[in-house]
Amino acid sequence: MDTTALITKFKTTRNATEEICKPLEIEDYSVQPIVDVSPPKWHLAHSTWFFEQFVLKAFKKGYTVFNDDFAYLFNSYYNNAGERVLRPNRGLMTRPTVKEVYAYRKFVTQNVIDLLTKNSSEALLELLEIGINHEQQHQELLAYDIKYILGHQPTFPKYDAHFVLSEAQEKQEFISIEEGVYEIGHKRNDFCFDNELGVHKVYIHPFEISNQLITNKAYLEFIEAGGYQDFNLWHAEGWDFINNNNIKAPLYWHFTKGKWHYYNCNGLEAIKLNEPVMHISYYEAFAFAEWKGMRLPTEFEWEVASSKFNWGALWEWTASAYQPYPNFTKADGALGEYNGKFMIGLQVLRGASIATAKNHSRHTYRNFFHPSLQWMFSGIRLVK
C-alpha cells in the first residue's frame, strides 16, 4: 500500500473508532462490569498509545509524548513496553477524563500524519499497517464491550442500529468436501497477522459442512430438550463451568413473560427464530453439536470449505486449539507478544462478524478466545 492510501486508511480507521462511541453518554465511558470488558475510554486511549509507542517514539525525531503517565495507564499486555495498570483495574480510572483522551487521540493522529508526510520508509509503513489493524480489532472489542455494559443495565438501553444480525435467507444444505492434501495459511502479499503464517499442507478426510449457521430456533430446541441439564453432552470442564456459573442459555437471553427475549442494540426484544444464534461459548457449541450427532469443523476444514458458503455474520467456533503453524516465528521485542504468547488453552474461531471492520476479514484470519467466553459475536456451524 502506498503512503497516500495508508494515510487515508489511517484517518478512516481513527474516525471509525470514534463513530462507534458517538451514541454513548459520558457515564458509559469508564465502566468495567467484568474483567473481560474494558471501558470504552480505555480502548480509545490504548489504540492511540499503540501508535505513540511503536510509531511516533520510534520514528519521529524529537517527539514528545502527550502525557508521561499514559504508557503506564494504557499499555495492555506488552511486557517489553514497561509496567501497566492491571487489567481488572481499568475501570477504576476516572482520570484522565474522556475529554483528555479525545485530545490525546487528536494529538497522536496529527503527529502520525505529519510524520508520514516526511517519512515513507518500508519499516514505518509496515508498523503503521499493524497499528491500523490493531485499532480495527479494538473497534470490534468496543462493540462487544459496549453491548455488555448496556446489556447489563436494568433498563436495557438502546445503543444504535449497528451490529444487528439479519435472518437466514437460504435453506440449510450440507456441502461435500473431498478428501485430500490442502494448503493452509496466508499466501497473498497483502497484510496478515503472524499467526496466519507459515503456509503448510494438511490432509483432510472427506466431510460435509452446513451452508448455514445454527439459528435461534434450532438452539431453542436444544434448550427445551434439556441440553443444559444433560452432562453427557458436555466436556467435563464445560459442565463444571455452566453449573458453577448458573448458565442456562446464551448470553443476553432472558425468559420473561412466558417467552424468551434477548438484548441487542435495539434494546430487549422477543427472539427472532431465524437469526443465527449468537453469544455462544465453545462449551455450548460443542454440547449442541453433540446433541445434534454432529461436530464442529476444524479450522483447516473451515478454511478449505469457506469459499463454498457465505460467512462473516458471526465468528465461528472450530474444534482446533490455538497453536502455532509450522515455521511460525515471533517478531523481536514487544510486537512479538502480539499473538505468540497466547498459544495455549484457547480455541480458534474463523470468519468475521457484523462488528468486524470493513476490509479487515479474510478466510485465513485466526481469532482466538477462551472456551468459556460468550461476550464475543460468536456462533455455530456444524459438520457431519
Side-chain angles (χ1 to χ4, degrees):
M1 186 176 293
D2 63 40
T3 305
T4 302
L6 206 56
I7 290 175
T8 299
K9 187 173 183 180
F10 172 71
K11 291 178 179 177
T12 300
T13 301
R14 299 291 284 168
N15 289 334
T17 305
E18 295 175 17
E19 284 294 320
I20 292 170
C21 294
K22 269 192 173 179
L24 299 180
E25 299 293 344
I26 202 72
E27 290 82 0
D28 300 323
Y29 276 89
S30 297
V31 182
Q32 186 178 23
I34 58 171
V35 65
D36 297 304
V37 169
S38 293
K41 181 176 74 173
W42 185 90
H43 284 289
L44 289 166
H46 166 72
S47 56
T48 303
W49 166 83
F50 192 96
F51 286 109
E52 183 173 65
Q53 176 69 31
F54 298 117
V55 175
L56 293 175
K57 288 176 68 175
F59 288 92
K60 190 164 189 182
K61 188 176 180 179
Y63 175 75
T64 301
V65 298
F66 182 84
N67 185 312
D68 289 331
D69 291 333
F70 281 16
Y72 174 71
L73 298 177
F74 300 120
N75 181 2
S76 55
Y77 54 71
Y78 299 95
N79 293 312
N80 282 282
E83 295 183 347
R84 60 201 181 277
V85 169
L86 295 178
R87 185 174 183 178
N89 296 339
R90 293 172 184 172
L92 301 179
M93 296 186 290
T94 60
R95 306 295 173 93
T97 64
V98 174
K99 182 179 179 180
E100 190 174 3
V101 166
Y102 274 111
Y104 178 43
R105 286 184 64 84
K106 184 177 181 180
F107 176 82
V108 168
T109 297
Q110 290 175 338
N111 271 276
V112 169
I113 293 169
D114 178 64
L115 171 63
L116 289 169
T117 62
K118 302 168 184 174
N119 184 341
S120 59
S121 68
E122 184 176 344
L124 171 59
L125 298 184
E126 285 181 358
L127 270 175
L128 187 70
E129 192 162 33
I130 291 172
I132 289 169
N133 280 270
H134 168 261
E135 181 149 350
Q136 288 175 326
Q137 288 182 315
H138 277 272
Q139 290 167 4
E140 183 150 3
L141 291 170
L142 257 174
Y144 302 167
D145 293 353
I146 289 170
K147 184 173 183 179
Y148 196 98
I149 290 166
L150 300 181
H152 284 79
Q153 312 248 350
T155 56
F156 299 109
K158 291 184 179 181
Y159 162 67
D160 202 350
H162 292 91
F163 315 133
V164 176
L165 287 168
S166 299
E167 296 187 56
Q169 301 296 322
E170 299 177 271
K171 180 181 177 182
Q172 186 184 33
E173 297 177 349
F174 280 82
I175 301 162
S176 296
I177 304 296
E178 296 181 356
E179 69 177 316
V181 176
Y182 294 87
E183 205 167 52
I184 299 297
H186 189 83
K187 307 177 190 69
R188 302 194 307 264
N189 291 325
D190 56 351
F191 178 84
C192 73
F193 287 112
D194 57 3
N195 63 2
E196 300 170 58
L197 303 170
V199 175
H200 62 288
K201 293 181 173 63
V202 298
Y203 174 79
I204 290 179
H205 291 273
F207 67 97
E208 295 179 56
I209 188 166
S210 175
N211 68 331
Q212 292 289 308
L213 295 173
I214 293 302
T215 63
N216 288 324
K217 180 181 179 181
Y219 201 83
L220 189 56
E221 292 170 357
F222 168 71
I223 294 173
E224 292 175 343
Y228 282 85
Q229 289 77 48
D230 186 353
F231 61 81
N232 292 294
L233 302 174
W234 299 78
H235 286 112
E237 183 179 295
W239 180 248
D240 290 343
F241 184 83
I242 66 164
N243 282 285
N244 291 339
N245 292 278
N246 196 32
I247 294 172
K248 298 178 181 179
L251 185 63
Y252 303 116
W253 282 40
H254 302 274
F255 192 78
T256 180
K257 298 181 180 179
K259 61 181 181 179
W260 284 101
H261 295 72
Y262 57 9
Y263 176 77
N264 62 31
C265 294
N266 290 321
L268 191 66
E269 297 184 332
I271 282 173
K272 295 176 182 175
L273 295 178
N274 291 324
E275 282 183 359
V277 66
M278 186 180 189
H279 296 297
I280 295 291
S281 69
Y282 173 76
Y283 298 146
E284 292 166 305
F286 176 86
F288 180 86
E290 288 284 295
W291 179 71
K292 293 291 287 186
M294 300 187 203
R295 63 178 177 84
L296 301 175
T298 67
E299 66 166 316
F300 310 119
E301 289 172 333
W302 191 97
E303 186 171 321
V304 167
S306 60
S307 63
K308 299 182 182 298
F309 53 78
N310 293 322
W311 53 269
L314 295 173
W315 289 99
E316 304 176 23
W317 286 107
T318 76
S320 297
Y322 182 47
Q323 291 288 307
Y325 284 171
N327 301 315
F328 169 78
T329 57
K330 292 194 297 182
D332 294 331
L335 289 178
E337 300 182 59
Y338 202 98
N339 286 311
K341 71 180 186 181
F342 299 111
M343 291 176 172
I344 183 170
L346 305 177
Q347 210 71 14
V348 173
L349 300 92
R350 289 300 197 101
S353 85
I354 51 175
T356 304
K358 186 178 180 181
N359 299 320
H360 186 72
S361 58
R362 52 193 170 271
H363 79 290
T364 59
Y365 200 116
R366 304 175 76 202
N367 209 345
F368 52 93
F369 285 107
H370 191 272
S372 64
L373 293 174
Q374 294 178 298
W375 112 114
M376 315 86 65
F377 291 3
S378 53
I380 309 171
R381 189 185 303 272
L382 294 183
V383 158
K384 64 179 181 180

